[in-house]
Amino acid sequence: MEEQTNRELYRKWINKIQLSEKTYSEYYELIDEIRGYYRNERKRNKQNIFWSTIETLKPFLYFKQPQLFIIRGNKKANAAENLACQIMEKALDWDIKQFDFDSVIKYARNDFLLSGMGILWEQYHSSFKYIGTVILKDKEQVITQYVNPKYFLTDVDKVNVWEDVEWIARKNFMNIDEISLSFGEDAADYFRQHNYADKSIAVYEIWDKETRRIYYLSPDYPDDFLLVGEDTLHLSGFFPCPKPIMATMANDGIIPVPDYIEIKSLLEELDGVNSRMRLTMQALKVSGCYDNAFPELANILDKDVTLISLSDFDKLKEAGGLKGIIDFAPIEQYISALQVLAERRQILIDSIYEVTGVSDIMRGSSNTQDTATAVIKKTNFGTLRNQDRQNDMQRFLRDLLKIKAEIICEQFSPDVLAAFVPEENKKNPELVRQAVELLKTQKLRDMVIDLETDGCFEQDKNEEKVLNVLQYINQMINQAFGVVSQQPALLPLYRRMMETAVASLSNARQFDDVLSSVFDKIDTILNEPEMPRKQTEDKMLEFQTQKMERDFAIKKEQNRIKQEELDLKKMTELSKISQK
């Protein structure tokens, strides 16, 4: 009975996979077409504007690996909660340095720009070692894996948006040794008997949200699953991948429309124009005829400077010179055609850039007659057109790191997590224990993962923002010192203003402890009894008086030295005059 149930469930999933692949089939074919055009496989598009557009957009969407940081959503978090954030931040930073995380992100970015969908998958790996007769974990790691959109499937039954998806799958190609390692010798023997070549066995890894199980099946392994696994990751969203970063969507299905579709007709016409221009250029050559009475003129155009000896020069003069015996084919029509084609080509190129949102400033070119205001407008136009996608890329990265962090909390042992405690906190084992327990029991509750990005088109803007905030804070500190001394009730207002200004900076958490400590000390001083406070004010006044006296003495000495220099110069000038 159980065998029958497994067989029926297997058939059910085979049907779902086949239906999904049928729905995705046109999209898979389109991916091959786009990749071939981008690589210029047929060498037909000599001026590959599509390639140029993609290369221009790449650094805008994702420039380089961002710095991650984790903060508590609750500003009143206790020491253990803050320490838990620091542990997770260091654990994530360590994990992404164990492999080329930056390149994997760029794989997804490139797929998004080309095929309209970028997908990454998180997978937990651990190795073991023997210590005597005891098996212990040797190394734990969460690896970010690239998924080719051609091998990605989802639920397509009444699915309009990503949140409707009940299952996802990816297709892997495995050899017999990998089958043996992952699913056992029985499955490997079956494929050996059927002479499967290396990497030719298609295995679908299916994550079903409804049953919270992971099914592994191969259409070449009939009537049963290779493996049915339980959910050991316990992710809040169940799926081991974030919502893919996707291009044009119409909320009536989750198969995206790549940008290539929007400019395909323009690209094809541009290819045709370029082809005609090449043919016209080939036809554009000097050709004509001459009087055969002068065979010496046959090769007159072979050299830059040519002198030919003629046997009957008088006859040449009677014929009106070379003009009378040589005539050339007209080329004006070719030149006119080239001009028309060149104008049309530029119109097509501009149209392609307009549709894709790639401004001339983003391409590194501009009109020398453009004013500064025009340049700024063009830059902003290109930025705004693509800002939504850049934001979606940031969302994709945050969701990816959140999944990675959840797996770390769930799978890493307490001892491994404790190894990421900053040195200054290791002297408090009870605090460390509480922080690690929070991660193991509550995972990322009330934690906020954020990224400090460095956009290639916004570096100056970001630097200017930081500088302005720091100048504002400095001015506020200078003003607040005198005001709060006279009106202590204004301290909470200035504190909130300062915290708001600091919060606008990337990774503002680094200032939290300092700000809190400074304002707590100010509050303590302002609430001291009158006598100590009076003594403090007297000391401050004495210090300021001494400083003013020192400054005055220094200024006086500087004036004396300057006067001596002037006197010496005057004496030198008088000496020169007397010598004359």
Side-chain angles (χ1 to χ4, degrees), residues 9-23 153-157 166-167 206 208 210-211 215 217:
L9 186 59
Y10 169 85
R11 288 297 174 190
K12 170 187 172 183
W13 278 110
I14 285 290
N15 292 335
K16 285 186 176 184
I17 290 293
Q18 290 175 346
L19 175 61
S20 182
E21 285 191 323
K22 182 179 179 181
T23 306
L153 295 168
T154 64
D155 177 17
V156 292
D157 184 18
E166 291 295 327
W167 62 266
I206 307 164
D208 180 31
E210 182 180 0
T211 61
Y215 301 97
L217 63 81

Side-chain angles (χ1 to χ4, degrees), residues 141-381:
Q141 186 180 358
V142 184
I143 299 177
T144 306
Q145 298 177 328
Y146 164 70
V147 179
N148 191 330
K150 280 188 62 177
Y151 304 133
F152 182 72
L153 295 168
T154 64
D155 177 17
V156 292
D157 184 18
K158 298 180 181 178
V159 170
N160 295 313
V161 293
W162 176 258
E163 288 70 23
D164 296 336
V165 173
E166 291 295 327
W167 62 266
I168 63 172
R170 60 173 175 171
K171 181 165 64 172
N172 301 303
F173 291 92
M174 308 176 73
N175 58 35
I176 291 177
D177 290 338
E178 291 169 333
I179 291 289
S180 175
L181 184 63
S182 300
F183 308 117
E185 275 301 309
D186 289 344
D189 286 340
Y190 174 86
F191 289 107
R192 285 194 190 97
Q193 293 170 8
H194 290 78
N195 299 320
Y196 278 86
D198 288 345
K199 291 289 185 181
S200 63
I201 307 169
V203 176
Y204 293 85
E205 178 184 344
I206 307 164
W207 287 67
D208 180 31
K209 187 183 290 186
E210 182 180 0
T211 61
R212 298 193 75 86
R213 288 185 174 181
I214 302 94
Y215 301 97
Y216 296 86
L217 63 81
S218 172
D220 301 320
Y221 188 75
D223 298 331
D224 200 1
F225 295 100
L226 291 168
L227 178 69
V228 178
E230 298 295 330
D231 176 23
T232 59
L233 299 182
H234 304 297
L235 298 171
S236 57
F238 180 69
F239 296 143
C241 70
K243 174 185 176 181
I245 177 171
M246 293 185 280
T248 304
M249 305 287 287
N251 298 338
D252 59 353
I254 61 168
I255 300 178
V257 178
D259 292 352
Y260 172 83
I261 293 296
E262 309 299 339
I263 59 174
K264 182 179 179 180
S265 61
L266 294 172
L267 292 171
E268 290 175 345
E269 185 179 351
L270 180 61
D271 291 342
V273 169
N274 286 331
S275 178
R276 291 187 182 92
M277 291 184 74
R278 286 195 297 271
L279 294 173
T280 305
M281 286 297 298
Q282 292 171 6
L284 183 60
K285 60 183 180 180
V286 177
S287 58
C289 58
Y290 66 96
D291 188 343
N292 61 7
F294 300 92
E296 299 91 342
L297 298 178
N299 300 318
I300 193 172
L301 298 179
D302 288 353
K303 297 179 181 180
D304 292 336
V305 179
T306 306
L307 290 176
I308 297 173
S309 175
L310 296 177
S311 57
D312 192 352
F313 192 75
D314 291 336
K315 186 177 180 181
L316 175 66
K317 289 193 293 181
E318 292 175 0
L322 289 177
K323 291 182 179 180
I325 61 174
I326 296 177
D327 194 14
F328 293 97
I331 61 173
E332 291 79 6
Q333 67 270 31
Y334 295 108
I335 295 175
S336 299
L338 277 174
Q339 292 175 341
V340 173
L341 289 171
E343 292 174 359
R344 181 56 184 168
R345 181 175 66 176
Q346 189 58 51
I347 291 173
L348 290 170
I349 291 173
D350 291 342
S351 297
I352 290 170
Y353 285 144
E354 182 178 355
V355 172
T356 56
V358 180
S359 67
D360 54 4
I361 302 299
M362 293 171 66
R363 302 195 311 274
S365 64
S366 62
N367 191 330
T368 56
Q369 297 180 350
D370 283 347
T371 63
T373 303
V375 170
I376 293 173
K377 286 182 177 180
K378 287 184 177 181
T379 306
N380 291 340
F381 172 76

Side-chain angles (χ1 to χ4, degrees), residues 75-100:
K75 294 294 184 181
K76 301 297 183 180
N78 58 38
E81 291 172 333
N82 287 328
L83 180 56
C85 289
Q86 296 178 52
I87 293 173
M88 181 50 59
E89 188 176 296
K90 291 192 67 177
L92 278 174
D93 185 63
W94 171 86
D95 188 79
I96 64 178
K97 289 178 179 177
Q98 301 309 300
F99 60 98
D100 194 354

Side-chain angles (χ1 to χ4, degrees), residues 357-464:
V358 180
S359 67
D360 54 4
I361 302 299
M362 293 171 66
R363 302 195 311 274
S365 64
S366 62
N367 191 330
T368 56
Q369 297 180 350
D370 283 347
T371 63
T373 303
V375 170
I376 293 173
K377 286 182 177 180
K378 287 184 177 181
T379 306
N380 291 340
F381 172 76
T383 302
L384 290 174
R385 281 286 303 272
N386 291 283
Q387 188 66 59
D388 185 59
R389 290 186 169 184
Q390 190 181 53
N391 292 339
D392 197 30
M393 186 69 184
Q394 299 304 308
R395 185 276 310 163
F396 178 72
L397 288 173
R398 284 192 293 269
D399 290 350
L400 184 74
L401 290 172
K402 181 180 178 183
I403 291 173
K404 186 185 288 289
E406 284 192 68
I407 296 175
I408 289 174
C409 290
E410 182 68 29
Q411 300 294 334
F412 282 25
S413 66
D415 291 340
V416 171
L417 290 174
F420 296 109
V421 174
E423 287 295 329
E424 61 270 19
N425 297 110
K426 290 183 177 180
K427 297 179 181 179
N428 190 340
E430 178 58 25
L431 181 63
V432 172
R433 185 194 65 78
Q434 293 176 7
V436 171
E437 185 178 355
L438 280 173
L439 292 174
K440 296 298 293 183
T441 58
Q442 299 184 17
K443 294 187 181 179
L444 305 182
R445 195 185 75 174
D446 202 35
M447 286 187 186
V448 178
I449 298 177
D450 212 341
L451 304 171
E452 184 175 347
T453 57
D454 188 11
C456 65
F457 295 102
E458 297 182 346
Q459 294 182 37
D460 294 340
K461 181 180 177 181
N462 292 335
E463 291 173 1
E464 182 181 358

